[in-house]
Amino acid sequence: MKHTNLYDKYKKLDAIEREELKQAVLAHGGEFRFETEEGEPVEGMQSPIVIAGERHWESYCECIVSRVVVRNDYLEIYGYAKEWRDGEILLDVEIGNIGYIIDEIPETDEVHDVSIPSNIKEIAVINLCREDIKDAGYSPNISDDELQQIASRIGKYLEWQEFWPQFYTNVKEACDYLGIPELENQMND
């Protein structure tokens, strides 16, 4: 039965929350720990509990977040299942749960608010992700701004076409135009 597709809207909201979390972690030097490297609670910190899991798990469960890292402009959330502690893993956090992590990160002297203004630009033509960049043969290690530029360039190209061209050809052209390094070039550096 036909219905409203809210998944895309959820993904946009999730992207906003992830960017806010990234800014909160960067305000603390690029890593924020709720637990020490030995797994002990950091004094005065409450470890957030989120619905998450490892990407290969059959289902998600309640997980305790132990630390959050921004590495190469990517957000990495680590923790473990609440029911068992079988070592720290990289968590895939369910949409709508990122805010629980941000709630537990304190302000810094310089950063009091990581809210993103509500006038977010939208890309109406396509949904583009870093995996698409990688599948087209280019490095997915790009900033959010570069991803936005690639999507905008593809969108402009599509406006000039009377048909839907092959997607990865357009991704390749946009990456070439913006000087994004190809994967094989990056691996040889």
Side-chain angles (χ1 to χ4, degrees), residues 118-129:
S118 60
N119 58 351
I120 302 296
K121 293 179 182 176
E122 292 195 24
I123 304 168
V125 178
I126 60 168
N127 288 323
L128 180 71
C129 66

Side-chain angles (χ1 to χ4, degrees), residues 141-153:
N141 298 327
I142 59 176
S143 69
D144 292 343
D145 191 49
E146 288 173 317
L147 185 64
Q148 177 78 33
Q149 289 176 14
I150 292 168
S152 294
R153 178 111 178 122

Side-chain angles (χ1 to χ4, degrees), residues 52-67:
E54 191 191 35
R55 290 192 183 271
H56 304 290
W57 289 359
E58 288 185 28
S59 62
Y60 287 175
C61 63
E62 287 187 323
C63 291
I64 297 174
V65 177
S66 55
R67 66 186 170 111

Side-chain angles (χ1 to χ4, degrees), residues 95-128:
I95 292 173
N97 282 251
I98 296 293
Y100 299 128
I101 303 170
I102 301 170
D103 288 342
E104 299 301 331
I105 298 178
E107 298 177 354
T108 67
D109 291 337
E110 296 81 27
V111 180
H112 306 286
D113 185 354
V114 292
S115 301
I116 295 177
S118 60
N119 58 351
I120 302 296
K121 293 179 182 176
E122 292 195 24
I123 304 168
V125 178
I126 60 168
N127 288 323
L128 180 71

Side-chain angles (χ1 to χ4, degrees), residues 57-183:
W57 289 359
E58 288 185 28
S59 62
Y60 287 175
C61 63
E62 287 187 323
C63 291
I64 297 174
V65 177
S66 55
R67 66 186 170 111
V68 183
V69 179
V70 176
R71 184 173 295 132
N72 297 324
D73 206 36
Y74 286 108
L75 185 63
E76 298 175 359
I77 303 169
Y78 293 90
Y80 48 89
K82 184 179 174 185
E83 295 299 315
W84 69 92
R85 188 178 185 133
D86 196 21
E88 188 180 67
I89 60 169
L90 182 62
L91 295 175
D92 183 25
V93 178
E94 183 66 40
I95 292 173
N97 282 251
I98 296 293
Y100 299 128
I101 303 170
I102 301 170
D103 288 342
E104 299 301 331
I105 298 178
E107 298 177 354
T108 67
D109 291 337
E110 296 81 27
V111 180
H112 306 286
D113 185 354
V114 292
S115 301
I116 295 177
S118 60
N119 58 351
I120 302 296
K121 293 179 182 176
E122 292 195 24
I123 304 168
V125 178
I126 60 168
N127 288 323
L128 180 71
C129 66
R130 286 179 172 80
E131 190 71 26
D132 297 323
I133 303 299
K134 182 178 177 184
D135 290 344
Y138 289 84
S139 171
N141 298 327
I142 59 176
S143 69
D144 292 343
D145 191 49
E146 288 173 317
L147 185 64
Q148 177 78 33
Q149 289 176 14
I150 292 168
S152 294
R153 178 111 178 122
I154 293 169
K156 287 178 184 173
Y157 176 79
L158 293 176
E159 288 174 5
W160 301 328
Q161 301 300 312
E162 293 181 20
F163 59 94
W164 181 264
Q166 185 177 5
F167 181 69
Y168 290 119
T169 300
N170 295 332
V171 173
K172 183 178 180 348
E173 289 172 1
C175 288
D176 283 340
Y177 178 80
L178 294 168
I180 305 300
E182 291 186 35
L183 284 176

Side-chain angles (χ1 to χ4, degrees), residues 1-42:
M1 180 180 297
K2 189 173 181 177
H3 65 91
T4 304
N5 180 2
L6 296 177
Y7 183 73
D8 288 339
K9 294 181 189 323
Y10 293 144
K11 290 294 284 181
K12 288 176 186 177
L13 292 173
D14 187 59
I16 291 169
E17 278 193 319
R18 288 176 185 277
E19 183 59 31
E20 289 178 354
L21 177 56
K22 188 163 60 167
Q23 294 309 313
V25 172
L26 288 172
H28 286 273
E31 179 175 18
F32 190 85
R33 289 187 162 275
F34 296 99
E35 296 182 358
T36 65
E37 290 182 19
E38 293 77 32
E40 298 297 319
V42 172

